[in-house]
Amino acid sequence: MYTFFAFTSMNLFGQVPPPGKYDTINYPEDRKFINSISNIFDPSLSLNDNSISIGADGSIAYGLEEEFQKFARNGMTFKSVVSVPGTELVRIFNGQTAIKTKVADVVFSTPDGDLHFKVIRAETYIKDNGKWYFVLGQGTNFLTQEEFDEYKKAHTTKN
């Protein structure tokens, strides 16, 4: 009798940018600053509250104040965001516009305890008078392939 074992591995972070595809070295000082931004809720990153955020739930907030109000209405306060290693990508265009993408673990405090989300984030920054500002962010709930397959089964209808 023979026993056969098969070992497989799965890339859990299919959102890792392809190596060498994008310019990741131009504007090194600007890149260093944008890479250091982990919390877009820092008021110093707001250009006259001129940002728009699209939440993982599809809601839109026009400015950070409105986003904080949305959290409060849902009984949540922002606690932390941590980028998943290897998923951050910053692209800078003409030294004035930057787009940062990443997978992040986001935590909110609620009266019932901490609420955890894994999201894929896209953030846009502009440089105005020599300073970088956050102007647009969008988060999408992250699903593993298995979670997506289950979601698809539960929400597919036959014509």
Side-chain angles (χ1 to χ4, degrees), residues 33 37 39-53 62-66 68 124-126 128 131-136:
F33 176 76
I37 298 168
N39 178 2
I40 55 111
F41 301 120
D42 179 345
S44 70
L45 294 173
S46 178
L47 178 62
N48 302 318
D49 203 33
N50 187 16
S51 65
I52 297 173
S53 293
Y62 298 97
L64 294 179
E65 184 59 38
E66 189 172 309
F68 289 133
T124 303
Y125 299 84
I126 58 109
D128 186 50
K131 186 169 185 235
W132 285 101
Y133 295 98
F134 168 77
V135 293
L136 175 66

Side-chain angles (χ1 to χ4, degrees), residues 71-72 74-77 108-115:
F71 296 155
N74 288 301
M76 306 178 335
T77 54
F108 291 93
S109 295
T110 75
D112 298 323
D114 287 350
L115 178 60

Side-chain angles (χ1 to χ4, degrees), residues 58 80 94:
S80 67
N94 298 322

